mmCIF file of all heavy atoms in Angstrom:
data_model
loop_
_atom_site.group_PDB
_atom_site.id
_atom_site.type_symbol
_atom_site.label_atom_id
_atom_site.label_comp_id
_atom_site.label_asym_id
_atom_site.label_seq_id
_atom_site.Cartn_x
_atom_site.Cartn_y
_atom_site.Cartn_z
ATOM 1 N N ILE A 25 -82.817 -34.314 19.016
ATOM 2 C CA ILE A 25 -81.443 -33.724 18.689
ATOM 3 C C ILE A 25 -81.608 -32.640 17.814
ATOM 4 O O ILE A 25 -81.009 -31.644 17.964
ATOM 5 C CB ILE A 25 -80.703 -34.872 17.960
ATOM 6 C CG1 ILE A 25 -80.232 -35.959 18.984
ATOM 7 C CG2 ILE A 25 -79.527 -34.265 17.236
ATOM 8 C CD1 ILE A 25 -79.689 -37.122 18.515
ATOM 9 N N TRP A 26 -82.475 -32.668 16.798
ATOM 10 C CA TRP A 26 -82.839 -31.541 15.955
ATOM 11 C C TRP A 26 -83.325 -30.327 16.721
ATOM 12 O O TRP A 26 -82.840 -29.173 16.429
ATOM 13 C CB TRP A 26 -83.720 -31.977 14.809
ATOM 14 C CG TRP A 26 -83.863 -31.002 13.627
ATOM 15 C CD1 TRP A 26 -82.855 -30.738 12.715
ATOM 16 C CD2 TRP A 26 -85.038 -30.283 13.298
ATOM 17 N NE1 TRP A 26 -83.320 -30.009 11.831
ATOM 18 C CE2 TRP A 26 -84.705 -29.581 12.075
ATOM 19 C CE3 TRP A 26 -86.352 -30.304 13.720
ATOM 20 C CZ2 TRP A 26 -85.673 -28.831 11.457
ATOM 21 C CZ3 TRP A 26 -87.278 -29.559 13.098
ATOM 22 C CH2 TRP A 26 -86.975 -28.787 11.907
ATOM 23 N N VAL A 27 -84.255 -30.409 17.591
ATOM 24 C CA VAL A 27 -84.886 -29.384 18.359
ATOM 25 C C VAL A 27 -83.709 -28.763 19.241
ATOM 26 O O VAL A 27 -83.637 -27.605 19.415
ATOM 27 C CB VAL A 27 -86.138 -29.738 19.025
ATOM 28 C CG1 VAL A 27 -86.671 -28.670 19.984
ATOM 29 C CG2 VAL A 27 -87.178 -30.081 18.017
ATOM 30 N N VAL A 28 -83.013 -29.580 19.953
ATOM 31 C CA VAL A 28 -82.044 -29.119 20.940
ATOM 32 C C VAL A 28 -80.938 -28.370 20.195
ATOM 33 O O VAL A 28 -80.356 -27.382 20.717
ATOM 34 C CB VAL A 28 -81.429 -30.132 21.871
ATOM 35 C CG1 VAL A 28 -80.328 -30.988 21.275
ATOM 36 C CG2 VAL A 28 -81.123 -29.576 23.138
ATOM 37 N N ALA A 29 -80.687 -28.701 18.996
ATOM 38 C CA ALA A 29 -79.666 -27.944 18.178
ATOM 39 C C ALA A 29 -80.379 -26.562 17.918
ATOM 40 O O ALA A 29 -79.655 -25.450 17.958
ATOM 41 C CB ALA A 29 -79.429 -28.545 16.848
ATOM 42 N N ALA A 30 -81.724 -26.447 17.571
ATOM 43 C CA ALA A 30 -82.365 -25.057 17.469
ATOM 44 C C ALA A 30 -82.255 -24.437 18.629
ATOM 45 O O ALA A 30 -82.071 -23.125 18.694
ATOM 46 C CB ALA A 30 -83.758 -25.454 16.992
ATOM 47 N N VAL A 31 -82.439 -25.033 19.830
ATOM 48 C CA VAL A 31 -82.302 -24.335 21.137
ATOM 49 C C VAL A 31 -81.011 -23.662 21.304
ATOM 50 O O VAL A 31 -80.791 -22.545 21.644
ATOM 51 C CB VAL A 31 -82.669 -25.222 22.287
ATOM 52 C CG1 VAL A 31 -82.297 -24.601 23.705
ATOM 53 C CG2 VAL A 31 -84.115 -25.557 22.255
ATOM 54 N N GLY A 32 -79.927 -24.493 21.065
ATOM 55 C CA GLY A 32 -78.443 -24.002 21.132
ATOM 56 C C GLY A 32 -78.385 -22.799 20.092
ATOM 57 O O GLY A 32 -77.594 -21.927 20.445
ATOM 58 N N LEU A 33 -78.850 -22.870 18.953
ATOM 59 C CA LEU A 33 -78.713 -21.902 17.859
ATOM 60 C C LEU A 33 -79.323 -20.534 18.475
ATOM 61 O O LEU A 33 -78.657 -19.532 18.338
ATOM 62 C CB LEU A 33 -79.428 -22.376 16.734
ATOM 63 C CG LEU A 33 -79.222 -21.491 15.485
ATOM 64 C CD1 LEU A 33 -79.173 -22.341 14.118
ATOM 65 C CD2 LEU A 33 -80.263 -20.351 15.270
ATOM 66 N N VAL A 34 -80.585 -20.654 18.954
ATOM 67 C CA VAL A 34 -81.021 -19.285 19.382
ATOM 68 C C VAL A 34 -80.429 -18.843 20.675
ATOM 69 O O VAL A 34 -80.319 -17.588 20.811
ATOM 70 C CB VAL A 34 -82.620 -19.429 19.557
ATOM 71 C CG1 VAL A 34 -83.456 -19.764 18.266
ATOM 72 C CG2 VAL A 34 -83.030 -20.396 20.584
ATOM 73 N N ILE A 35 -80.013 -19.734 21.464
ATOM 74 C CA ILE A 35 -79.198 -19.151 22.681
ATOM 75 C C ILE A 35 -77.853 -18.604 22.172
ATOM 76 O O ILE A 35 -77.419 -17.598 22.714
ATOM 77 C CB ILE A 35 -79.126 -20.223 23.836
ATOM 78 C CG1 ILE A 35 -80.506 -20.681 24.369
ATOM 79 C CG2 ILE A 35 -78.106 -19.862 24.743
ATOM 80 C CD1 ILE A 35 -80.434 -21.613 25.298
ATOM 81 N N GLY A 36 -77.355 -19.221 21.259
ATOM 82 C CA GLY A 36 -76.039 -18.756 20.694
ATOM 83 C C GLY A 36 -76.161 -17.357 20.072
ATOM 84 O O GLY A 36 -75.317 -16.518 20.023
ATOM 85 N N ALA A 37 -77.469 -17.084 19.682
ATOM 86 C CA ALA A 37 -77.694 -15.817 19.114
ATOM 87 C C ALA A 37 -78.110 -14.709 20.093
ATOM 88 O O ALA A 37 -78.429 -13.500 19.848
ATOM 89 C CB ALA A 37 -78.783 -15.929 18.045
ATOM 90 N N GLY A 38 -78.196 -15.274 21.496
ATOM 91 C CA GLY A 38 -78.577 -14.289 22.540
ATOM 92 C C GLY A 38 -80.081 -14.243 22.833
ATOM 93 O O GLY A 38 -80.418 -13.456 23.620
ATOM 94 N N LEU A 39 -80.859 -15.095 22.240
ATOM 95 C CA LEU A 39 -82.295 -15.118 22.465
ATOM 96 C C LEU A 39 -82.619 -16.046 23.666
ATOM 97 O O LEU A 39 -83.147 -17.126 23.334
ATOM 98 C CB LEU A 39 -82.952 -15.537 21.079
ATOM 99 C CG LEU A 39 -82.684 -14.679 19.887
ATOM 100 C CD1 LEU A 39 -83.216 -15.196 18.661
ATOM 101 C CD2 LEU A 39 -83.110 -13.204 20.101
ATOM 102 N N TYR A 40 -82.322 -15.768 24.692
ATOM 103 C CA TYR A 40 -82.362 -16.479 25.987
ATOM 104 C C TYR A 40 -83.870 -16.847 26.186
ATOM 105 O O TYR A 40 -84.174 -18.156 26.453
ATOM 106 C CB TYR A 40 -81.829 -15.798 27.201
ATOM 107 C CG TYR A 40 -80.462 -15.703 26.977
ATOM 108 C CD1 TYR A 40 -79.906 -14.327 26.829
ATOM 109 C CD2 TYR A 40 -79.396 -16.691 27.219
ATOM 110 C CE1 TYR A 40 -78.499 -14.010 26.798
ATOM 111 C CE2 TYR A 40 -78.106 -16.474 27.033
ATOM 112 C CZ TYR A 40 -77.686 -15.088 26.954
ATOM 113 O OH TYR A 40 -76.258 -14.834 26.745
ATOM 114 N N ILE A 41 -84.772 -16.063 26.162
ATOM 115 C CA ILE A 41 -86.290 -16.387 26.429
ATOM 116 C C ILE A 41 -86.785 -17.510 25.444
ATOM 117 O O ILE A 41 -87.386 -18.469 25.880
ATOM 118 C CB ILE A 41 -87.093 -15.125 26.396
ATOM 119 C CG1 ILE A 41 -86.599 -14.178 27.629
ATOM 120 C CG2 ILE A 41 -88.544 -15.440 26.624
ATOM 121 C CD1 ILE A 41 -87.296 -12.837 27.697
ATOM 122 N N LEU A 42 -86.499 -17.197 24.167
ATOM 123 C CA LEU A 42 -86.930 -18.190 23.177
ATOM 124 C C LEU A 42 -86.285 -19.505 23.325
ATOM 125 O O LEU A 42 -86.841 -20.557 23.256
ATOM 126 C CB LEU A 42 -86.580 -17.579 21.740
ATOM 127 C CG LEU A 42 -86.923 -18.478 20.663
ATOM 128 C CD1 LEU A 42 -88.475 -18.890 20.697
ATOM 129 C CD2 LEU A 42 -86.463 -17.954 19.351
ATOM 130 N N GLY A 43 -84.973 -19.512 23.675
ATOM 131 C CA GLY A 43 -84.307 -20.765 23.872
ATOM 132 C C GLY A 43 -84.667 -21.520 25.092
ATOM 133 O O GLY A 43 -84.937 -22.727 25.111
ATOM 134 N N ILE A 44 -84.762 -20.835 26.253
ATOM 135 C CA ILE A 44 -85.153 -21.463 27.521
ATOM 136 C C ILE A 44 -86.632 -21.824 27.412
ATOM 137 O O ILE A 44 -86.956 -22.999 27.828
ATOM 138 C CB ILE A 44 -84.910 -20.541 28.751
ATOM 139 C CG1 ILE A 44 -83.345 -20.471 28.834
ATOM 140 C CG2 ILE A 44 -85.531 -21.080 29.971
ATOM 141 C CD1 ILE A 44 -82.986 -19.317 29.868
ATOM 142 N N GLY A 45 -87.484 -21.055 26.874
ATOM 143 C CA GLY A 45 -89.010 -21.378 26.689
ATOM 144 C C GLY A 45 -89.037 -22.574 25.885
ATOM 145 O O GLY A 45 -89.920 -23.453 26.033
ATOM 146 N N SER A 46 -88.435 -22.655 24.638
ATOM 147 C CA SER A 46 -88.447 -23.796 23.812
ATOM 148 C C SER A 46 -87.893 -24.964 24.501
ATOM 149 O O SER A 46 -88.492 -26.151 24.238
ATOM 150 C CB SER A 46 -87.688 -23.561 22.531
ATOM 151 O OG SER A 46 -88.128 -22.463 21.905
ATOM 152 N N ALA A 47 -86.861 -24.903 25.241
ATOM 153 C CA ALA A 47 -86.334 -26.102 25.934
ATOM 154 C C ALA A 47 -87.429 -26.680 26.877
ATOM 155 O O ALA A 47 -87.695 -27.785 27.059
ATOM 156 C CB ALA A 47 -85.130 -25.780 26.679
ATOM 157 N N ILE A 48 -88.021 -25.774 27.563
ATOM 158 C CA ILE A 48 -89.057 -26.171 28.501
ATOM 159 C C ILE A 48 -90.274 -26.957 27.888
ATOM 160 O O ILE A 48 -90.653 -27.970 28.307
ATOM 161 C CB ILE A 48 -89.631 -24.994 29.347
ATOM 162 C CG1 ILE A 48 -88.549 -24.557 30.338
ATOM 163 C CG2 ILE A 48 -90.930 -25.396 30.071
ATOM 164 C CD1 ILE A 48 -88.897 -23.197 31.006
ATOM 165 N N LEU A 49 -90.740 -26.470 26.695
ATOM 166 C CA LEU A 49 -91.607 -26.970 25.854
ATOM 167 C C LEU A 49 -91.242 -28.428 25.401
ATOM 168 O O LEU A 49 -91.965 -29.381 25.363
ATOM 169 C CB LEU A 49 -92.146 -26.123 24.713
ATOM 170 C CG LEU A 49 -92.822 -24.899 25.008
ATOM 171 C CD1 LEU A 49 -93.005 -24.055 23.789
ATOM 172 C CD2 LEU A 49 -94.160 -25.160 25.625
ATOM 173 N N LEU A 50 -89.981 -28.450 24.980
ATOM 174 C CA LEU A 50 -89.437 -29.718 24.485
ATOM 175 C C LEU A 50 -89.410 -30.769 25.592
ATOM 176 O O LEU A 50 -89.783 -31.871 25.442
ATOM 177 C CB LEU A 50 -87.968 -29.461 23.977
ATOM 178 C CG LEU A 50 -87.230 -30.789 23.621
ATOM 179 C CD1 LEU A 50 -87.790 -31.500 22.516
ATOM 180 C CD2 LEU A 50 -85.704 -30.266 23.165
ATOM 181 N N LEU A 51 -89.045 -30.320 26.855
ATOM 182 C CA LEU A 51 -88.846 -31.262 28.012
ATOM 183 C C LEU A 51 -90.412 -31.721 28.343
ATOM 184 O O LEU A 51 -90.570 -32.879 28.570
ATOM 185 C CB LEU A 51 -88.316 -30.629 29.204
ATOM 186 C CG LEU A 51 -86.863 -30.655 29.335
ATOM 187 C CD1 LEU A 51 -86.420 -29.588 30.475
ATOM 188 C CD2 LEU A 51 -86.320 -32.052 29.545
ATOM 189 N N LEU A 52 -91.336 -30.818 28.249
ATOM 190 C CA LEU A 52 -92.708 -31.179 28.561
ATOM 191 C C LEU A 52 -93.223 -32.175 27.591
ATOM 192 O O LEU A 52 -93.897 -33.225 27.892
ATOM 193 C CB LEU A 52 -93.609 -29.995 28.626
ATOM 194 C CG LEU A 52 -93.312 -29.048 29.845
ATOM 195 C CD1 LEU A 52 -94.217 -27.760 29.593
ATOM 196 C CD2 LEU A 52 -93.760 -29.669 31.167
ATOM 197 N N LEU A 53 -93.029 -31.917 26.267
ATOM 198 C CA LEU A 53 -93.370 -32.806 25.357
ATOM 199 C C LEU A 53 -92.733 -34.238 25.396
ATOM 200 O O LEU A 53 -93.480 -35.218 25.423
ATOM 201 C CB LEU A 53 -93.062 -32.303 23.897
ATOM 202 C CG LEU A 53 -93.587 -32.995 22.699
ATOM 203 C CD1 LEU A 53 -94.034 -31.978 21.722
ATOM 204 C CD2 LEU A 53 -92.629 -33.966 22.178
ATOM 205 N N LEU A 54 -91.458 -34.185 25.620
ATOM 206 C CA LEU A 54 -90.685 -35.580 25.714
ATOM 207 C C LEU A 54 -91.242 -36.284 27.019
ATOM 208 O O LEU A 54 -91.340 -37.550 27.040
ATOM 209 C CB LEU A 54 -89.292 -35.357 25.839
ATOM 210 C CG LEU A 54 -88.614 -35.001 24.496
ATOM 211 C CD1 LEU A 54 -87.075 -34.532 24.717
ATOM 212 C CD2 LEU A 54 -88.763 -35.962 23.402
ATOM 213 N N ARG A 55 -91.391 -35.536 28.026
ATOM 214 C CA ARG A 55 -91.846 -36.245 29.345
ATOM 215 C C ARG A 55 -93.284 -36.697 29.423
ATOM 216 O O ARG A 55 -93.513 -37.770 29.962
ATOM 217 C CB ARG A 55 -91.533 -35.257 30.516
ATOM 218 C CG ARG A 55 -91.710 -35.911 31.799
ATOM 219 C CD ARG A 55 -90.491 -36.920 32.072
ATOM 220 N NE ARG A 55 -90.750 -37.529 33.257
ATOM 221 C CZ ARG A 55 -90.396 -38.774 33.568
ATOM 222 N NH1 ARG A 55 -89.824 -39.442 32.642
ATOM 223 N NH2 ARG A 55 -90.574 -39.308 34.694
ATOM 224 N N PHE A 56 -94.093 -35.832 28.881
ATOM 225 C CA PHE A 56 -95.544 -36.098 29.171
ATOM 226 C C PHE A 56 -96.423 -36.504 27.900
ATOM 227 O O PHE A 56 -97.477 -37.183 28.072
ATOM 228 C CB PHE A 56 -96.192 -34.955 29.797
ATOM 229 C CG PHE A 56 -95.672 -34.728 31.018
ATOM 230 C CD1 PHE A 56 -94.929 -33.531 31.233
ATOM 231 C CD2 PHE A 56 -95.756 -35.573 32.262
ATOM 232 C CE1 PHE A 56 -94.387 -33.272 32.536
ATOM 233 C CE2 PHE A 56 -95.214 -35.280 33.415
ATOM 234 C CZ PHE A 56 -94.515 -34.178 33.673
ATOM 235 N N LEU A 57 -95.980 -36.238 26.705
ATOM 236 C CA LEU A 57 -96.733 -36.594 25.483
ATOM 237 C C LEU A 57 -96.371 -37.841 25.049
ATOM 238 O O LEU A 57 -95.740 -38.056 23.908
ATOM 239 C CB LEU A 57 -96.634 -35.396 24.539
ATOM 240 C CG LEU A 57 -97.641 -35.450 23.340
ATOM 241 C CD1 LEU A 57 -99.084 -35.371 23.870
ATOM 242 C CD2 LEU A 57 -97.348 -34.358 22.295
ATOM 243 N N ARG A 58 -96.621 -38.926 25.829
ATOM 244 C CA ARG A 58 -96.351 -40.313 25.508
ATOM 245 C C ARG A 58 -97.685 -41.088 25.362
ATOM 246 O O ARG A 58 -98.543 -40.805 26.409
ATOM 247 C CB ARG A 58 -95.475 -40.945 26.495
ATOM 248 C CG ARG A 58 -94.072 -40.418 26.500
ATOM 249 C CD ARG A 58 -93.447 -40.985 27.728
ATOM 250 N NE ARG A 58 -92.156 -40.246 28.023
ATOM 251 C CZ ARG A 58 -91.028 -40.746 28.017
ATOM 252 N NH1 ARG A 58 -90.770 -42.021 27.764
ATOM 253 N NH2 ARG A 58 -89.964 -40.011 28.307
#
């Protein structure tokens, strides 16, 4: 929740590459780093 808020924050600031890239990293971590 905390990280997805950060993703929303940077996308809200117009930093699409950072936001989308961070979201991909978040998804990979949540899905595979178990």
